[in-house]
Amino acid sequence: MVITGEYAAPILRALFDEQGFSSVRILPVKNSYFGGNIKVAGLLTGQDLRAALKDVSGSTVLLLPDVCLSEGRFLDGLTLQDLDHRVTTVPTTGRDLRETLQSVLEESMVPS
């Protein structure tokens, strides 16, 4: 599952469908910390991520754009370790996201 802001979610959905990643879920996170008017991933907070992830299974692979963090912290001071889920950051480039998605999908297809 790719975590992002509300603006990027429909764009990513269209790109994922076009590029053969239609099975990848997208979680648009509402930014309540700043009153709900901010819709970009780079200004998401740990508090808002916690709220968005409350109903997500702990076994779900979660990918987060690295622009959400500055020196390992969200804008509200929380870190990835403060979330109740294992979240992997991905550099914010199309190439890095594509390579990460391919890797995750290939790993999930390998029998254990």
Side-chain angles (χ1 to χ4, degrees), residues 16-37:
F16 287 2
D17 291 348
E18 177 184 301
Q19 296 297 314
F21 295 108
S22 57
S23 65
V24 175
R25 293 182 298 158
I26 298 171
L27 177 63
V29 177
K30 180 174 177 63
N31 190 322
S32 298
Y33 188 83
F34 289 110
N37 296 333

Side-chain angles (χ1 to χ4, degrees), residues 29 31 33 43-53 64 68-69 73-80 82-84:
V29 177
N31 190 322
Y33 188 83
L43 295 176
L44 292 176
T45 64
Q47 293 174 32
D48 288 332
L49 280 172
R50 272 188 184 163
L53 294 173
L64 179 74
C68 295
L69 300 164
R73 295 197 173 275
F74 293 99
L75 290 173
D76 59 359
L78 296 180
T79 67
L80 290 175
D82 294 318
L83 303 177
D84 296 329

Side-chain angles (χ1 to χ4, degrees), residues 56-69:
V56 174
S57 166
S59 63
T60 302
V61 175
L62 299 169
L63 304 176
L64 179 74
D66 63 354
V67 297
C68 295
L69 300 164

Side-chain angles (χ1 to χ4, degrees), residues 101-110:
L101 289 173
Q102 285 175 322
S103 175
V104 167
L105 290 174
E106 287 170 7
E107 286 176 19
S108 69
M109 292 180 196
V110 175

